[in-house]
Amino acid sequence: MEKKQQNFNNFSGFTIVITFFFLWVTVLFDVKAEAILAYFLIFTFGIFHGSNDLKLIQKSTSFSKSSFFLRALGSYLAVVGLTALFFSFVPSLALLFFVIASSYHFGEQHWASLKIRSVLVTAFYTFYGMVIFFLLFYVNEEEVTPIIEKISGFTVAKEVYLMFLVASFTGFIGIYFWWLFKKQIQVNIVKELFFLLVFFIVFKTASLLWAFSIYFVVWHSIPSLKDQIQYLYGAVTKASFMEYLKTSFLYWLVSMAGLAVLYYFFQDNEGLFLTIMIYFLAAITFPHVIVMTRLNRT
């Protein structure tokens, strides 16, 4: 247990260092250069961390190899297709579900070491992730609101972001102290609040896209990659990392090809392409959330 905690602390320290290194980058480059770096991180580490879902499904189920691929691939594509239809017909509701599902997923990954059997766990994960989202939205309101308006047709006031931020933080901290009162949790809340302060500094200093990419890649995707490699191969080594890349490369390539086609058609309309990219991320996020939730419950 002490060794595991030490490894976690070392990894957290490394994450903090990388975060502030990327934040320092904002001083060196303009917003366009930041956007290029952000897209690079999202389309490499960000997409890669969700490109091995079929392999994870295979390991976590009792499907035979002969029947697995078509069944898993069919289910996966069905979720992607339903997500695309969801955004096509009810984009405002789909966007809301995307934020909620992503919030739960971010919280589940961040608190992966939390071993508590409680009906409040799902709410705890979701509240924590919503704190991240609405902190980002609130401090970048001028960039976020036009994107939401383009997708949903609704204009969201800055006070709404603050209201959801306060409500989410209250829910998150309330559940934490309830568990503390029940002696079900031993997590250092001061450290977690410090992390939230780091996120605030990043979100306030960097542009919206660069700030999101720093959190999404450094705090979510890389830790998720680490956990997935550990689950699939038993240890995080150079050999296991290369094996992970080999099994996920084809799915990553197909995803990038699809996005490249979208970029070709919408490259002259940056705002529209950003909206399409959100649809794209949502389409691959929903099945990934299902896979990772199943994995964490096995």
Side-chain angles (χ1 to χ4, degrees):
M1 178 65 73
E2 291 181 1
K3 183 177 180 181
K4 184 176 180 181
Q5 184 64 37
Q6 183 179 5
N7 290 336
F8 176 78
N9 290 334
N10 291 339
F11 189 75
S12 297
F14 171 78
T15 304
I16 292 285
V17 171
I18 293 297
T19 298
F20 281 102
F21 171 76
F22 281 149
L23 194 60
W24 173 68
V25 168
T26 62
V27 179
L28 302 179
F29 300 105
D30 59 18
V31 174
K32 288 187 176 180
E34 285 181 17
I36 293 172
L37 289 170
Y39 283 130
F40 172 77
L41 290 176
I42 292 171
F43 296 153
T44 51
F45 290 100
I47 302 302
F48 252 123
H49 99 278
S51 298
N52 225 357
D53 288 345
L54 294 182
K55 183 76 172 178
L56 293 169
I57 295 173
Q58 184 180 23
K59 186 173 176 64
S60 63
T61 62
S62 58
F63 290 161
S64 65
K65 289 186 177 180
S66 59
S67 64
F68 161 75
F69 184 78
L70 290 179
R71 293 176 65 178
L73 182 61
S75 300
Y76 196 87
L77 292 178
V79 175
V80 172
L82 288 173
T83 303
L85 289 174
F86 197 15
F87 268 96
S88 298
F89 290 102
V90 278
S92 56
L93 188 59
L95 181 62
L96 177 62
F97 271 93
F98 173 55
V99 171
I100 293 174
S102 298
S103 295
Y104 170 81
H105 184 50
F106 285 173
E108 183 183 41
Q109 172 58 46
H110 184 84
W111 296 91
S113 61
L114 192 65
K115 304 299 180 184
I116 293 180
R117 299 292 183 181
S118 170
V119 294
L120 295 175
V121 167
T122 298
F124 183 76
Y125 291 159
T126 305
F127 280 137
Y128 180 82
M130 288 178 68
V131 170
I132 303 300
F133 265 103
F134 285 101
L135 182 62
L136 177 67
F137 291 172
Y138 179 70
V139 299
N140 292 279
E141 177 267 339
E142 292 182 357
E143 294 182 75
V144 171
T145 298
I147 296 173
I148 293 178
E149 185 175 5
K150 186 179 288 290
I151 294 173
S152 67
F154 293 101
T155 301
V156 181
K158 188 174 185 179
E159 291 74 19
V160 174
Y161 301 133
L162 180 60
M163 179 184 70
F164 276 99
L165 174 59
V166 172
S168 302
F169 182 79
T170 301
F172 157 68
I173 206 71
I175 294 173
Y176 169 84
F177 279 112
W178 171 251
W179 284 342
L180 189 67
F181 173 74
K182 302 287 286 185
K183 297 182 180 180
Q184 292 179 295
I185 194 171
Q186 296 179 340
V187 176
N188 184 353
I189 194 63
V190 175
K191 181 180 67 176
E192 295 300 330
L193 293 177
F194 171 72
F195 289 162
L196 290 176
L197 176 61
V198 171
F199 300 155
F200 172 77
I201 294 171
V202 171
F203 296 166
K204 187 71 174 177
T205 305
S207 63
L208 173 64
L209 186 59
W210 185 228
F212 172 75
S213 69
I214 291 174
Y215 177 80
F216 180 58
V217 172
V218 176
W219 289 86
H220 177 71
S221 299
I222 293 177
S224 180
L225 279 168
K226 176 176 173 288
D227 291 345
Q228 290 177 48
I229 293 171
Q230 181 74 38
Y231 175 76
L232 288 171
Y233 306 109
V236 182
T237 64
K238 181 180 179 181
S240 61
F241 177 71
M242 295 306 297
E243 185 66 24
Y244 183 95
L245 291 184
K246 185 169 64 175
T247 57
S248 61
F249 181 75
L250 179 60
Y251 304 108
W252 174 83
L253 193 62
V254 170
S255 299
M256 290 300 95
L259 193 61
V261 171
L262 292 175
Y263 179 75
Y264 176 79
F265 286 107
F266 299 107
Q267 59 182 308
D268 295 330
N269 190 328
E270 183 178 350
L272 181 58
F273 175 71
L274 188 57
T275 302
I276 295 295
M277 192 184 77
I278 292 174
Y279 290 174
F280 169 80
L281 289 176
I284 62 177
T285 293
F286 279 116
H288 178 64
V289 171
I290 295 171
V291 170
M292 295 307 296
T293 298
R294 180 189 181 93
L295 181 66
N296 287 323
R297 290 179 180 177
T298 56

